[in-house]
Amino acid sequence: MPAGGFVTQGGKEYPGKLTPYVLVTCIVGSMGGLIFGYDIGISGGVTSMPDFLSSFFPSVYEKQTADKSTNQYCKFDSATLTLFTSSLYLAALLASLVASTVTRKFGRKLSMLFGGVLFCAGAIINALAQNVAMLIVGRILLGFGIGFANQSVPLYLSEMAPYKYRGSLNIGFQLSITIGILIANVLNYFFAKIHDWGWRLSLGGAMVPAIIIGIGSLILPDTPNSLIERGKRDEAITKLRRVRGVDDVEEEFNDLVAASEASKKVEHPWRNLLEKKYRPHLTMAIMIPFFQQLTGINVIMFYAPVLFKTIGFKDDNSLMSAVITGGVNVLATLVSIYGVDKWGRRFLFLEGGVQMFICQIAVAICIGVKFGVSGNVTNLPQWYAIVVVLFICIYVSAFAWSWGPLGWLVPSEIFPLEIRSAAQSINVSVNMFFTFVIAQIFLTMLCHLKFGLFLFFAFFVLVMSVFIYLFLPETKGVPIEEMSIVWKNHWFWGKYIPDEDLPHAGANLEMGKTKNGLGGTKSVY
């Protein structure tokens, strides 16, 4: 038995099935990921378009065109240019903190609606931008929209889905992100051919996913958890029966009510996050999004066209390479949807970590051999560029079926109701903060670290894989309200969880516990 691992099917099994109603609801809800994905994909393509650069960042444009022998690593290095991309994520960080209160008091749907409206406003301002200030204001509004959507959508999906299918349905959010990235890359490829104003179409196109999530939030039903949390119990049990597709939902309903009653006794969920019994949850809420950003994926997704131009591709070729990696991203996410509830979270985390580590080392070697430290290479053989793109695609596929979807799924399913909104805000805030940091400093890091930048990210992939191996238990097939048993049975976290916090305290804990050889226990029921 691996460190921190155990096999569990949960303390109990609630009756229920995957109904068409739930499937359609989760598909519509997961569309909230489109706005995040579209923005990730659109930013890098727009910042590589000559017309956009000449209008707003002339110094970067001149650096590209004046001297073809310039250091390839540094040709896009501009703090103002990276601020265009990164400002969004700082705004998303701030919005996610406000979104916690909205999500808790008024429901998940209202947070989604706010996200769509704010994102749409930002898209309009960006499309009409006349100066850098307008661009930044638009990006900030986009960030507010993403902060609300990323805070509410994963929670909505985890609460709506039957626990046996929670992983697959929740990953619909990540699938929407990858589809948004792919659509943005394809549009960038074609809009780049429209000189002078093609970039406006790319930025303004963000209105479409914003309208989709806005309309979706109006037609989606509330989750039973959210209805109970707001005192609407009769409506909640009716909704739970429809969601589960069976009438026998009293046991699950009573557990949800009990969890809600416990959550209402918590007057300060933010302060309570610091209590000893929430140490495992707080650790994961911080470390998983921290490590997710230090995989280096946003280096690829934000700046894919910029990166490909840096390693020798022409304008059209760099945008097409971004389309290819976006397609790989979508297809590999489907692998995760298939396997997450079959193979488990830990397996995908660890396999993806190994694959990403190998690919980052390979890319570093390929770029290092050709460009060296000086970076003064003007021509890259086509076959060599294809090899680099191939390794990047294998790397993207690993992220897309591991750290991409699981970075949102696992935090959203492990938090008890009483701290759920606050803890999810921590998760989103940490994610957005380090997304901001990476987006802001990447081009400067590339300029100074050269090919060593990929070794930098490879080191963190190794560290985070060890972290998952040791400290993340398997949560596959465990009902959300039974999740405390998972932590109690873990070799390290068990000491932080008091027995009285366990559901059905005595029986479930003793049922089938065995030593795992690491000073902890594993559950075999």
Side-chain angles (χ1 to χ4, degrees):
M1 176 60 61
F6 58 91
V7 181
T8 178
Q9 294 302 317
K12 63 168 68 173
E13 292 190 7
Y14 298 125
K17 53 190 176 183
L18 182 59
T19 63
Y21 176 73
V22 168
L23 186 59
V24 171
T25 297
C26 288
I27 289 173
V28 174
S30 66
M31 293 293 180
L34 285 175
I35 63 174
F36 191 25
Y38 187 89
D39 183 80
I40 291 173
I42 217 70
S43 301
V46 167
T47 53
S48 73
M49 292 181 186
D51 293 326
F52 177 80
L53 291 175
S54 63
S55 298
F56 295 98
F57 305 98
S59 62
V60 177
Y61 179 74
E62 289 170 7
K63 192 187 298 185
Q64 288 189 65
T65 56
D67 182 7
K68 295 294 185 181
S69 65
T70 188
N71 188 321
Q72 296 295 310
Y73 295 120
C74 301
K75 62 194 295 186
F76 286 93
D77 186 21
S78 165
T80 311
L81 178 62
T82 52
L83 185 63
F84 165 74
T85 299
S86 63
S87 57
L88 179 149
Y89 300 98
L90 194 58
L93 186 161
L94 298 175
S96 66
L97 301 177
V98 178
S100 168
T101 302
V102 175
T103 301
R104 182 181 175 90
K105 292 187 175 181
F106 302 104
R108 286 59 169 146
K109 289 177 53 178
L110 192 60
S111 280
M112 292 186 208
L113 179 60
F114 281 172
V117 170
L118 291 167
F119 197 85
C120 189
I124 293 171
I125 292 175
N126 269 351
L128 300 175
Q130 300 298 315
N131 50 54
V132 174
M134 282 187 72
L135 285 177
I136 300 300
V137 169
R139 295 290 293 172
I140 289 172
L141 286 173
L142 292 173
F144 287 156
I146 286 175
F148 274 94
N150 286 9
Q151 208 278 340
S152 54
V153 172
L155 290 185
Y156 183 90
L157 296 174
S158 286
E159 291 177 349
M160 188 63 75
Y163 69 92
K164 291 182 179 179
Y165 305 99
R166 188 176 62 241
S168 296
L169 291 178
N170 192 290
I171 289 175
F173 176 66
Q174 177 68 18
L175 179 63
S176 288
I177 292 176
T178 63
I179 291 173
I181 294 171
L182 177 59
I183 291 172
N185 287 333
V186 172
L187 292 179
N188 277 336
Y189 179 76
F190 289 105
F191 289 156
K193 301 178 187 299
I194 303 175
H195 293 296
D196 296 330
W197 54 279
W199 60 270
R200 294 188 185 276
L201 294 177
S202 288
L203 295 179
M207 288 187 289
V208 176
I211 291 170
I212 290 174
I213 184 179
I215 294 175
S217 68
L218 295 175
I219 64 175
L220 287 172
D222 272 311
T223 68
N225 308 61
S226 179
L227 291 169
I228 292 170
E229 201 170 23
R230 290 179 285 141
K232 301 179 180 181
R233 294 191 182 180
D234 291 340
E235 188 179 345
I237 194 166
T238 301
K239 185 64 64 181
L240 189 60
R241 287 193 178 106
R242 186 172 185 192
V243 166
R244 298 295 178 250
V246 296
D247 292 328
D248 181 19
V249 297
E250 280 72 17
E251 186 175 22
E252 181 176 5
F253 178 76
N254 290 335
D255 284 347
L256 292 175
V257 170
S260 178
E261 290 298 322
S263 73
K264 288 178 180 177
K265 295 176 183 177
V266 178
E267 296 181 3
H268 306 287
W270 291 97
R271 187 187 307 165
N272 278 52
L273 274 171
L274 301 177
E275 290 184 13
K276 180 179 178 181
K277 64 180 179 180
Y278 298 128
R279 200 71 50 79
H281 314 83
L282 182 60
T283 300
M284 295 303 163
I286 294 172
M287 298 308 295
I288 288 179
F290 167 73
F291 282 133
Q292 187 191 51
Q293 295 313 307
L294 284 169
T295 58
I297 187 63
N298 284 336
V299 170
I300 304 298
M301 292 305 167
F302 288 159
Y303 299 111
V306 170
L307 182 63
F308 288 128
K309 282 183 77 172
T310 297
I311 59 176
F313 288 73
K314 295 180 180 177
D315 290 348
D316 280 359
N317 288 339
S318 67
L319 289 170
M320 179 52 70
S321 298
V323 171
I324 293 170
T325 57
V328 170
N329 201 14
V330 173
L331 294 176
T333 303
L334 296 175
V335 174
S336 190
I337 290 176
Y338 170 79
V340 67
D341 288 318
K342 184 176 182 179
W343 305 322
R345 282 66 160 154
R346 280 172 53 84
F347 171 80
L348 288 175
F349 264 133
L350 295 173
E351 190 283 333
V354 171
Q355 189 170 320
M356 284 190 290
F357 178 79
I358 293 171
C359 289
Q360 283 167 322
I361 297 296
V363 170
I365 292 172
C366 288
I367 295 178
V369 167
K370 200 66 184 176
F371 288 92
V373 176
S374 68
N376 293 324
V377 176
T378 56
N379 240 337
L380 197 66
Q382 185 178 16
W383 70 269
Y384 207 87
I386 290 173
V387 170
V388 174
V389 172
L390 179 62
F391 277 119
I392 287 177
C393 285
I394 297 172
Y395 159 80
V396 168
S397 69
F399 177 86
W401 63 54
S402 62
W403 278 87
L406 299 181
W408 294 106
L409 166 62
V410 172
S412 74
E413 69 182 359
I414 64 174
F415 304 136
L417 185 61
E418 63 268 22
I419 62 165
R420 190 167 298 159
S421 291
Q424 179 68 0
S425 283
I426 294 291
N427 177 51
V428 174
S429 297
V430 173
N431 191 300
M432 293 299 109
F433 175 75
F434 284 102
T435 303
F436 164 76
V437 171
I438 295 297
Q440 182 62 31
I441 68 174
F442 159 65
L443 293 176
T444 300
M445 290 177 69
L446 180 61
C447 183
H448 290 85
L449 294 180
K450 280 62 175 190
F451 61 88
L453 179 62
F454 293 93
L455 299 178
F456 171 84
F457 288 122
F459 168 77
F460 277 100
V461 169
L462 179 62
V463 172
M464 72 194 196
S465 297
V466 172
F467 173 82
I468 291 296
Y469 181 80
L470 291 175
F471 297 113
L472 182 70
E474 182 57 71
T475 55
K476 177 186 73 172
V478 183
I480 289 180
E481 307 310 331
E482 302 276 314
M483 202 64 72
S484 56
I485 300 173
V486 167
W487 301 106
K488 186 63 179 178
N489 289 342
H490 187 269
W491 71 274
F492 180 80
W493 299 120
K495 61 189 176 186
Y496 293 99
I497 309 298
D499 290 345
E500 58 268 24
D501 274 18
L502 296 175
H504 331 292
N508 279 345
L509 185 59
E510 294 304 321
M511 188 175 163
K513 278 169 59 176
T514 61
K515 291 289 180 182
N516 68 6
L518 290 158
T521 59
K522 63 178 181 178
S523 170
V524 293
Y525 45 74

